[in-house]
Amino acid sequence: MGILEKISEIEKEIARTQKNKATEYHLGLLKAKLAKYRAQLLEPSKSAAAKGEGFDVMKSGDARVALIGFPSVGKSTFLSLMTSTASEAASYEFTTLTCIPGVIEYKGANIQLLDLPGIIEGAAQGKGRGRQVIAVARTADVVIMMLDATKGEVQRSLLEKELESVGIRLNKCKPNIYFKPKKGGGISFNSTVTLTQCSEKLVQLILHEYKIFNAEVLFREDCSPDEFIDVIVGNRVYMPCLYVYNKIDQISMEEVDRLARRPNSVVISCGMKLNLDYLLEKLWEYLALTCIFTKKRGQRPDFADAIILRKGASVEHVCHRIHRTLASQFKYALVWGTSTKYSPQRVGLTHLMEHEDVIQIVKK
């Protein structure tokens, strides 16, 4: 029996089993086995040699955004509209067969946008180059899930299932569980909160399934068995996702209103160029980037060339971005902007910068 058959058998068994107090240990074990087989499936086969051209594109710009969706939902049209790159778009499926990069220039930042080939059901098992598409998506900072507004609900659940099965967790935080394998001493289990979904016995069963008999486990929040398995496996990627419903010109106003009110969702029309500016605003918010402007002594700030950093960046990060030796020669900095109580304020290396602040660095 191959790995795919084993996975489908376990999935059928989970679907058949009723969820109650008596079956939770059995379900926990099945989920652990399922995660193990899926991890084996993602490992590249040792027999296959490296054939064909590579799929990934070199990372460039300040952030990376991956476009994921079924064939013919408007990914290539979106890329051509947003960037200066022309991606071939046609009315038949699988027009795009490889990864096409483009660059969005917005608020002084260069955001790399990747147009990936359409995903089909069963992509996680390698159908239709699905494995390569998902592998590229894992390297992105934000995923834009392009959905056809006329059939969005079905597509959304199928894509989420595909990404979930390869270890991409969308719009979720990392579980607050401390887990450390040890050389001996058995399993020590503790929790700082009341657990309603996991018990000590279930944790031990899951660890035994992974051949772990000595470990330290501390639950700091009420997590499910699936989240605990994610912590053990340790290769999960937690990333923000923006659900973009395209082709809203083909549905009713009531349906548009309903889709627009869903969490993490934006409605657009690439054909009629509707709502694209709002999508860029939301994308900037999800990427959590900040622009910092520099200023030389006695001169006006340089607003033409901004330094792009992640939200929560300090003066030290700005120094490293300008030059790696600048932080060691740093004396103090003068900052103008919303992060200060008054302008200019004299600050040290630990001061946190905010969007569109101006900084002047004084060396020793």
Side-chain angles (χ1 to χ4, degrees), residues 76-85 103-105 113 268 275-277 279-280 283:
S76 299
T77 314
F78 177 73
L79 182 88
S80 304
L81 277 174
M82 289 300 201
T83 69
S84 54
T85 309
V103 175
I104 303 173
E105 289 175 8
L113 186 67
I268 63 161
N275 214 23
L276 295 175
D277 49 351
L279 172 56
L280 271 179
L283 184 59

Side-chain angles (χ1 to χ4, degrees), residues 145-340:
M145 198 181 277
M146 286 291 269
L147 304 162
D148 190 331
T150 54
K151 46 192 172 189
E153 300 308 309
V154 186
Q155 290 189 348
R156 181 170 169 166
S157 55
L158 281 170
L159 280 172
E160 280 176 342
K161 192 177 156 199
E162 290 297 330
L163 295 177
E164 192 87 10
S165 65
V166 293
I168 296 175
R169 304 284 177 260
L170 302 174
N171 296 326
K172 283 183 185 173
C173 292
K174 206 171 178 181
N176 197 352
I177 301 172
Y178 172 76
F179 169 71
K180 189 183 178 187
K182 295 190 298 186
K183 292 279 192 297
I187 292 166
S188 84
F189 175 85
N190 273 308
S191 67
T192 55
V193 290
T194 311
L195 299 180
T196 56
Q197 304 172 65
C198 259
S199 65
E200 188 172 352
K201 187 182 170 189
L202 180 55
V203 166
Q204 285 179 348
L205 281 170
I206 291 170
L207 287 171
H208 287 179
E209 183 60 39
Y210 280 92
K211 306 280 188 290
I212 298 169
F213 302 101
N214 303 296
E216 211 173 311
V217 180
L218 172 64
F219 276 71
R220 293 196 183 98
E221 63 181 4
D222 188 14
C223 295
S224 64
D226 292 320
E227 289 172 322
F228 179 58
I229 291 165
D230 286 350
V231 172
I232 297 170
V233 176
N235 63 352
R236 304 300 189 227
V237 181
Y238 298 86
M239 60 170 66
C241 174
L242 201 53
Y243 300 99
V244 177
Y245 292 92
N246 189 18
K247 306 182 185 177
I248 55 166
D249 48 307
Q250 297 175 15
I251 57 173
S252 66
M253 279 302 292
E254 291 78 15
E255 186 67 9
V256 171
D257 189 54
R258 190 184 68 80
L259 291 174
R261 288 177 191 279
R262 297 197 65 180
N264 311 310
S265 301
V266 177
V267 289
I268 63 161
S269 169
C270 287
M272 295 177 77
K273 299 183 182 176
L274 298 174
N275 214 23
L276 295 175
D277 49 351
Y278 177 67
L279 172 56
L280 271 179
E281 275 177 40
K282 288 294 280 183
L283 184 59
W284 181 264
E285 191 186 305
Y286 273 63
L287 285 167
L289 297 174
T290 52
C291 291
I292 313 291
F293 301 108
T294 54
K295 177 187 177 304
K296 288 180 182 174
R297 183 182 283 176
Q299 292 180 20
R300 294 185 68 79
D302 180 12
F303 290 120
D305 191 17
I307 295 173
I308 309 294
L309 295 165
R310 292 285 147 143
K311 212 169 252 178
S314 65
V315 174
E316 193 172 358
H317 291 112
V318 179
C319 292
H320 283 302
R321 180 58 73 90
I322 296 167
H323 197 272
R324 62 180 183 274
T325 60
L326 189 58
S328 58
Q329 301 167 351
F330 178 88
K331 190 177 181 185
Y332 65 89
L334 295 173
V335 175
W336 291 256
T338 53
S339 67
T340 58

Side-chain angles (χ1 to χ4, degrees), residues 9 12 18 59 73 87 108 133 149 173 231 247 325 329 362:
E9 278 293 308
K12 282 175 192 167
Q18 284 185 337
K59 210 167 186 174
V73 291
S87 181
V133 172
C173 292
V231 172
K247 306 182 185 177
T325 60
Q329 301 167 351
V362 179

